[in-house]
Amino acid sequence: MELTWMVIGLIVIMNAIGFFIMGADKKRAKKNLYRISESTLWNVAILGGAIGAAAGMKHYRHKTKHAQFKYGLPLLAVIEAGVFVYIFKLLA
């Protein structure tokens, strides 16, 4: 049971980071400041934050013209959701 809560916490944290990192990069883009690299955005997504990053992309309307983000991030989010469901079934 404790492991389940740790996994849930990790997923929530990574997705919150994914969401807010999109917002931070959008804010930096508007102000012409130093940007968060695309590799950092992808690393956060791959490490469990794809759902949050995809939600942040939609919410902030950021990176929506880049095909790799427009199609790749939602696809990765669906894959991660499936992995999360599978993990929770194993832990239950």
Side-chain angles (χ1 to χ4, degrees):
M1 190 66 146
E2 189 173 311
L3 180 61
T4 303
W5 286 108
M6 288 174 53
V7 171
I8 290 170
L10 179 64
I11 291 169
V12 168
I13 289 168
M14 288 307 296
N15 281 291
I17 291 169
F19 184 85
F20 290 114
I21 202 169
M22 280 293 187
D25 191 47
K26 175 72 174 197
K27 185 182 276 188
R28 290 177 182 193
K30 284 183 173 181
K31 294 181 178 181
N32 291 320
L33 297 175
Y34 183 76
R35 303 282 301 280
I36 298 169
S37 70
E38 289 186 356
S39 65
T40 300
L41 297 174
W42 277 111
N43 286 334
V44 168
I46 289 169
L47 292 173
I51 296 168
M57 181 180 70
K58 284 276 214 195
H59 179 76
Y60 296 110
R61 296 183 190 161
H62 187 53
K63 298 285 187 191
T64 56
K65 293 183 180 179
H66 299 259
Q68 65 177 349
F69 284 95
K70 184 177 182 179
Y71 302 112
L73 208 50
L75 177 63
L76 182 58
V78 169
I79 292 168
E80 279 188 6
V83 169
F84 296 155
V85 168
Y86 179 74
I87 289 170
F88 287 122
K89 285 188 177 186
L90 288 177
L91 294 174

